[in-house]
């Protein structure tokens, strides 16, 4: 019998701020594929993106508020504590070393991240240490732009959930999670325009944003 509780999953991102497009697909994913725990890991200096607007402390505080009533999620601050850029490849290598060679490990990403995954630092090594579990996101194709990257995807693709629980790493699984048309960019833009974000992120996170005056129009605009 396959032990469907053995897979451990890590979910990285900037979370500037955390929103329902992060939380809801992963909660549904956990039910779909049998995840007991998701380690949520905010990054510090994302190498391939503009710098976050909120500080590391603020992004962490918002995450803590967002997951306070959700035991599925556990916060991991290792990338925030690092002074250097957060390379997923390095983090997953460390995680693998900690958990041993046979533990099934999964890294959760959205569909948009899969499309630009080949631009990530040492992306090929990531599948040596973990599986990739992909949540759907509206507005992004399911095929890779370049043929060689499509071949890479096809080589690793599985539609068998058991693979994620029995193999330690190496598979890409496209989960049939529902679409949530929400992004942190959209939320920052709406907040600048004083538009409601009630449906887009948890109320305690929105309260925190207002209390700390985050994502407001800068004075010289
Ligand atoms: P920004 O708009 O600032 O680029 P974002 O909303 O894409 O941010 P990130 O923190 O960059 O959020 O994303 C962290 C992870 O969550 C990524 O793997 C991303 O693909 C995934 N993700 C974010 N929003 C969604 C969504 N609406 N549906 C599915 N996955 C998502």
């Amino acid at each position: 019998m396959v032990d469907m509780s053995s897979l451990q999953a890590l979910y990285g991102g900037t979370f500037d701020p955390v929103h329902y497009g992060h939380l809801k697909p992963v909660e549904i994913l956990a039910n779909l594929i049998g995840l007991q725990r998701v380690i949520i890991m905010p990054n510090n200096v994302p190498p391939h993106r503009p710098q976050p607007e909120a500080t590391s402390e603020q992004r962490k505080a918002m995450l803590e508020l967002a997951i306070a009533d959700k035991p599925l999620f556990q916060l991991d601050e290792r990338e925030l504590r690092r002074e250097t850029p957060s390379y997923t490849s390095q983090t997953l290598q460390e995680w693998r070393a900690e958990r041993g060679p046979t533990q099934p490990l999964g890294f959760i990403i959205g569909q948009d991240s899969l499309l630009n995954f080949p631009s990530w630092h040492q992306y090929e090594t990531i599948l040596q240490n973990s599986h990739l579990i992909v949540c759907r996101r509206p507005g992004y194709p399911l095929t890779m732009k370049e043929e060689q990257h499509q071949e890479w995807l096809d080589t690793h693709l599985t539609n068998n959930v058991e693979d994620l629980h029995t193999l330690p790493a190496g598979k890409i699984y496209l989960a049939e999670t529902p679409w949530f048309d929400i992004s942190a960019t959209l939320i920052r833009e709406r907040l600048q325009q004083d538009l409601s974000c009630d449906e887009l992120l948890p109320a305690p996170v929105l309260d925190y944003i207002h209390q700390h005056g985050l994502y407001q129009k800068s004075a010289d605009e």
Side-chain angles (χ1 to χ4, degrees), residues 123-184:
Y123 82 98
E124 300 98 328
T125 69
I126 291 178
L127 282 176
Q128 290 164 13
N129 292 312
S130 80
H131 302 297
L132 271 185
I133 304 170
V134 184
C135 292
R136 285 180 175 169
R137 191 169 185 179
Y140 297 94
L142 264 180
T143 49
M144 309 296 280
K145 260 198 229 118
E146 286 184 38
E147 204 174 311
Q148 83 193 82
H149 297 150
Q150 185 61 40
E151 276 170 26
W152 165 84
L153 172 60
D154 291 339
T155 308
H156 295 283
L157 212 53
T158 182
N159 53 18
N160 183 359
V161 176
E162 280 191 16
D163 284 349
L164 304 176
H165 291 270
T166 52
L167 302 170
K171 294 290 177 190
I172 302 175
Y173 181 77
L174 307 181
E176 300 204 345
T177 47
W179 281 358
F180 292 91
D181 197 2
I182 305 174
S183 68

Side-chain angles (χ1 to χ4, degrees), residues 14 21 56 58 69 90 105 115 141-142 177 189-190 196 204 217:
T14 312
S56 297
Q58 288 168 334
D69 61 348
Q90 186 190 343
L105 300 177
L115 296 177
L142 264 180
T177 47
E189 285 172 2
R190 288 182 66 88
S196 163
K217 241 188 188 135

